[in-house]
């Protein structure tokens, strides 16, 4: 199992914050010597889709922050050249040098920003994103300014790569843990895929209600796949059982939350991921996704605001998937019927109304996801009792 390493920072607590929090702190340090610099952001690069996506921003708590914006790197020639050549990119004058028909560029100009320095960021040799440093004056990022900013840039690069590596090391380790149990993996893989897409629809849809940053949304989506990792402790025959469960079997099902917490804590310990803020989302999801707003869930009987938004999102995605999937003991519901059932649960005070509303806005997309990642027929799997 891969373990993480990073350079020491004079304040270890710095590494426990989210990347956006770290960018805010570094910006404050920079502005004492370079007051014209007004923003630092990190855009994530997703190799599988060639998308550059908004992720972390020192202005994340400001009104009107740019969110959920993405663009193909292949259609951004100067940024692509910057990445391929491993070189900084400087834009001296936004008013004359940028295409003002772009939503992203319009937003930059509206903020009063005039120039930028772009730093391509890599983990080993793989491009993971871009750091953008913006100033409120034109022609600001001279060679001399760039040289003076290098110590700060080094810290930002470390912060961005540290969070990226933390998330993906945990992802790989958790996935490896599941793959070591192929019979569980056969049952979970399509469920994981569907959960990924349902979670993305919900998290993006409620982001304005709960003020979720793109960084938080991305981590909720990534970690949604492992919400029920504790079910590795339950025999596949129990998970697919047609008859009513015995008390001992029900106890094992209820205990899967605690088992999941233990599995993740062991992974975190072995990988050396420590206490980075992004891992709080994973722990919230695993610990609380079976809680209900009216206190009828398990294992802690939490109510209302005690349940984190990340867990509320996963709860709705998971229930929707259960309703629309075949089981040995039931047939799959249609999307429309499943949404009606979710509405009943909202009326009963069990689940989050905003999360259900977010799903309802994408009924055709939900059907497409179900068709693309159909549930494995239990009769196709060899289940030994």
């Amino acid at each position: 199992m891969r373990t993480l390493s990073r350079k020491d920072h004079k304040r270890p607590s710095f590494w426990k914050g989210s990347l956006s929090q770290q960018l805010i702190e570094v910006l404050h340090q920079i502005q004492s010597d370079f007051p014209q610099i007004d923003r630092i952001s990190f855009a994530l690069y997703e190799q599988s889709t060639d998308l550059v996506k908004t992720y972390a921003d020192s202005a994340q708590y400001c009104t009107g922050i740019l969110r959920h914006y993405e663009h193909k790197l292949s259609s951004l020639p100067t940024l692509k050249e910057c990445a391929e050549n491993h070189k900084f990119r400087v834009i001296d004058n936004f008013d004359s040098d940028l295409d003002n028909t772009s939503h992203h560029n319009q937003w930059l100009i509206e903020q009063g920003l005039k120039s930028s320095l772009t730093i391509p960021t890599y983990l080993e040799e793989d491009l993971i994103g871009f750091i953008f440093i913006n100033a409120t004056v034109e022609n600001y990022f001279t060679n001399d300014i760039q040289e003076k900013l290098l110590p700060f840039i080094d810290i930002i690069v470390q912060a961005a790569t540290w969070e990226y590596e933390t998330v993906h090391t945990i992802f790989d380790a958790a996935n490896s843990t599941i793959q070591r149990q192929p019979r569980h993996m056969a049952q979970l893989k399509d469920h994981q895929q569907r959960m990924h897409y349902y979670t993305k629809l919900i998290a993006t849809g409620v982001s304005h209600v709960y003020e979720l940053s793109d960084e938080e949304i991305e981590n909720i989506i990534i970690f949604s796949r492992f919400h029920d990792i504790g079910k590795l402790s339950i025999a596949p025959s129990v998970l697919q059982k047609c008859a009513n469960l015995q008390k001992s079997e029900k106890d094992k099902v209820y205990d899967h939350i605690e088992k999941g917490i233990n599995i993740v804590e062991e992974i975190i310990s072995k990988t050396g991921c420590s206490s980075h803020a992004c891992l709080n989302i994973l722990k919230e999801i695993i610990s609380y996704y079976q809680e209900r707003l009216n206190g009828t869930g398990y294992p802690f009987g939490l109510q209302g605001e005690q349940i984190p938004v990340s867990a509320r999102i996963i709860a709705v995605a998971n229930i929707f998937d259960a309703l629309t999937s075949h089981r040995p003991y039931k047939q799959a519901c249609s999307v429309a019927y499943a949404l009606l059932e979710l509405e009943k649960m909202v009326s009963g005070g069990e689940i989050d109304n905003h999360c259900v509303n977010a799903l309802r806005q994408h009924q055709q997309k939900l059907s497409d996801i179900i068709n693309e990642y159909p549930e494995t027929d239990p009769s196709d799997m060899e289940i030994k009792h």
Side-chain angles (χ1 to χ4, degrees):
M1 183 181 291
R2 183 176 63 167
T3 57
L4 297 175
S5 62
R6 69 173 186 277
K7 298 178 182 177
D8 291 329
H9 188 271
K10 61 183 179 181
R11 289 199 307 99
S13 61
F14 174 84
W15 299 104
K16 296 182 179 181
S18 68
L19 182 55
S20 290
Q21 291 168 336
Q22 292 166 340
L23 295 184
I24 291 169
E25 184 169 335
V26 173
L27 178 63
H28 289 162
Q29 294 174 13
I30 287 176
Q31 286 178 326
S32 62
D33 294 319
F34 309 95
Q36 296 87 350
I37 293 178
D38 197 51
R39 176 178 178 251
I40 304 172
S41 63
F42 178 76
L44 189 68
Y45 177 63
E46 189 174 77
Q47 187 174 9
S48 61
T49 60
D50 191 42
L51 287 173
V52 179
K53 307 188 293 185
T54 51
Y55 184 74
D57 200 313
S58 64
Q60 71 159 330
Y61 300 114
C62 298
T63 302
I65 183 67
L66 186 70
R67 300 186 193 274
H68 321 322
Y69 187 80
E70 56 187 37
H71 217 288
K72 292 273 188 181
L73 179 60
S74 57
S75 66
L76 303 168
T78 64
L79 201 61
K80 186 179 181 207
E81 181 182 1
C82 163
E84 290 175 345
N85 296 331
H86 291 233
K87 291 183 178 179
F88 291 4
R89 182 193 70 171
V90 174
I91 297 178
D92 286 321
N93 187 337
F94 283 178
D95 291 327
S96 61
D97 299 342
L98 287 184
D99 173 13
N100 60 16
T101 62
S102 159
H103 174 61
H104 174 252
N105 294 343
Q106 286 178 351
W107 181 85
L108 288 170
I109 294 170
E110 288 169 0
Q111 308 314 302
L113 301 170
K114 299 293 185 179
S115 57
S116 75
L117 175 66
T118 303
I119 302 97
T121 308
Y122 309 85
L123 181 59
E124 298 176 349
E125 293 299 314
D126 294 328
L127 177 69
I128 63 170
F130 298 89
I131 296 163
F132 298 95
I133 304 177
N134 300 131
T136 55
V137 295
E138 300 170 3
N139 304 302
Y140 186 73
F141 294 101
T142 63
N143 290 337
D144 180 56
I145 291 291
Q146 291 182 47
E147 185 72 23
K148 291 176 180 177
L149 287 174
L150 286 178
F152 297 104
I153 291 171
D154 184 55
I155 293 172
I156 300 168
V157 169
Q158 287 184 57
T161 54
W162 174 238
E163 175 159 329
Y164 184 94
E165 191 176 9
T166 297
V167 170
H168 288 82
T169 296
I170 291 295
F171 179 93
D172 291 343
N175 215 35
S176 177
T177 299
I178 295 172
Q179 289 175 344
R180 287 198 296 271
Q181 300 192 43
R183 292 175 69 210
H184 283 88
M185 184 62 183
Q187 296 181 22
L188 291 174
K189 62 179 181 179
D190 292 318
H191 174 56
Q192 286 184 326
Q193 288 285 72
R194 294 191 301 272
M195 285 294 294
H196 170 92
Y197 290 109
Y198 298 154
T199 299
K200 183 175 182 178
L201 292 175
I202 298 171
T204 304
V206 303
S207 62
H208 65 291
V209 177
Y210 293 115
E211 299 183 342
L212 295 176
S213 68
D214 285 336
E215 181 179 5
E216 291 170 318
I217 292 170
E218 186 74 17
N219 290 330
I220 292 170
I221 294 168
I222 287 175
F223 291 137
S224 67
R225 295 173 179 266
F226 308 115
H227 65 284
D228 57 356
I229 195 171
K231 287 185 177 178
L232 295 177
S233 64
I234 306 172
S237 57
V238 173
L239 295 175
Q240 290 291 341
K241 192 171 182 179
C242 297
N244 292 332
L245 296 179
Q246 302 296 318
K247 183 181 184 303
S248 60
E249 294 171 329
K250 289 182 180 179
D251 290 342
K252 287 182 180 180
V253 172
Y254 288 131
D255 287 346
H256 87 271
I257 300 292
E258 182 179 352
K259 298 292 185 183
I261 295 170
N262 292 339
I263 289 171
V264 165
E265 291 291 356
E266 183 177 356
I267 289 172
I268 290 172
S269 176
K270 287 183 177 179
T271 55
C273 288
S274 187
S275 55
H276 194 287
C278 64
L279 298 180
N280 293 336
I281 288 177
L282 173 60
K283 294 175 183 177
E284 288 173 356
I285 288 171
I286 293 174
S287 301
Y288 308 126
Y289 86 96
Q290 289 288 2
E291 300 291 345
R292 299 293 177 258
L293 297 177
N294 60 5
T296 59
Y298 69 91
F300 305 108
L302 301 185
Q303 299 181 39
E305 297 300 319
Q306 294 176 319
I307 304 172
V309 174
S310 58
R312 299 189 203 186
I313 292 169
I314 299 302
V316 171
N318 188 58
I319 295 168
F320 177 81
D321 189 61
L323 289 168
T324 54
S325 298
H326 290 290
R327 294 290 186 270
Y329 46 85
K330 74 170 190 68
Q331 292 295 312
C333 300
S334 68
V335 169
Y337 186 85
L339 290 171
L340 287 174
E341 290 300 302
L342 290 176
E343 288 290 351
K344 292 178 184 177
M345 295 183 73
V346 168
S347 298
E350 296 181 69
I351 56 177
D352 189 289
N353 182 47
H354 299 296
C355 293
V356 175
N357 286 340
L359 276 185
R360 191 188 301 108
Q361 302 303 315
H362 300 279
Q363 295 188 43
Q364 183 57 54
K365 181 63 176 176
L366 294 173
S367 295
D368 293 342
I369 293 167
I370 293 168
N371 291 332
E372 186 170 357
Y373 302 101
E375 183 74 13
T376 301
D377 190 330
S379 63
D380 293 338
M381 293 184 286
E382 182 184 356
I383 302 297
K384 297 179 180 179
H385 296 273

